[in-house]
Amino acid sequence: AMAAQMTDAHRRFLQVLMSHGIMEGSEARKLHRRCCEIHKVYYAHDKLDDFISTINSHLQPLFMQIRKGMSESDGRAHYALVNLAETEITKMASDYTENELELFRKTMDLIVLSENGFASSTDILNLADQLKTKKMKKKEVEQVLKVFVEDKWLSERNGEYTLHTRCIIEMEQYILSNYQDMARKCNICHSLVIQSQVCESCGIGMHLPCVRKYFRAQTEPRCPQCNDFWSCDIP
């Protein structure tokens, strides 16, 4: 079957998403409606995913794709424009120096290998003099971290850093293949999980929003995998 036609509404949607890099679901729905109204294109409020798959079929030859993911903190849907042609770390290479990239990789190690999906600023600052490419002063590391947060690769809460939703959507494959033994998939939604609760008995992990949803209906929280009592606090 022929791919559905791209209209000016689709083009406008893509342009706006490109300039944001990532967009929360409700924003994307508003944008969908606005683009259709401006360009007098048929609009159906429940057809955003179809609208996006039309754009995706035209992005395919360019090795790009709009992907849907979720925020690990509140479970909301997000849409991000992903470049499939190069691994994300090489894509970042055009924006950052070699030692900034090394700092990012090492920060990512700390986050992925941590228990809860966070790395403290103290631990990241301590990486400053372990960089092989070129040592950084702690002041410089602080500056670079700020840029990573502005560029939506990291997000920060009370001096603790984790991967931004955009980073997780873009880097899911990269992380799953580079941290095979450590990277977990959520037992409920089966996508990559960074901030997780982990079963003390069998070691499966779940996103906090998935934990919340899953245990909402249960009188006694038990692990979906091994049925042992779930000892973490339900968020």
Side-chain angles (χ1 to χ4, degrees), residues 43-161:
Y43 165 74
H45 72 93
D46 56 349
K47 290 280 186 271
L48 173 60
D49 286 347
D50 291 351
F51 185 83
I52 286 175
S53 66
T54 296
I55 299 174
N56 279 341
S57 64
H58 292 266
L59 286 176
Q60 217 177 345
L62 307 171
F63 299 105
M64 296 187 87
Q65 193 180 56
I66 298 172
R67 277 201 188 149
K68 192 177 183 176
M70 83 161 183
S71 154
E72 292 201 321
S73 53
D74 60 20
R76 286 189 194 160
H78 283 71
Y79 292 88
L81 185 65
V82 177
N83 186 335
L84 307 172
E86 30 191 355
T87 62
E88 292 60 29
I89 294 269
T90 53
K91 186 170 84 197
M92 290 177 77
S94 56
D95 297 326
Y96 306 107
T97 64
E98 226 170 296
N99 61 336
E100 289 169 348
L101 270 186
E102 192 189 349
L103 179 73
F104 181 78
R105 276 200 196 93
K106 284 190 151 64
T107 301
M108 198 181 212
D109 289 346
L110 289 176
I111 292 170
V112 175
L113 307 180
S114 71
E115 274 295 286
N116 61 354
F118 282 90
S120 71
S121 51
T122 321
D123 288 345
I124 300 173
L125 290 175
N126 288 338
L127 297 172
D129 44 15
Q130 297 171 28
L131 298 178
K132 292 188 178 66
T133 38
K134 185 164 146 265
K135 308 258 181 284
M136 277 191 198
K137 295 189 181 69
K138 295 206 163 160
K139 263 268 165 282
E140 290 175 86
V141 172
E142 280 171 358
Q143 273 312 108
V144 176
L145 283 176
K146 251 199 202 103
V147 175
F148 286 145
V149 170
E150 277 163 21
D151 292 349
K152 299 178 183 151
W153 294 110
L154 297 177
S155 51
E156 183 264 341
R157 208 169 58 221
N158 314 325
E160 298 269 311
Y161 290 83

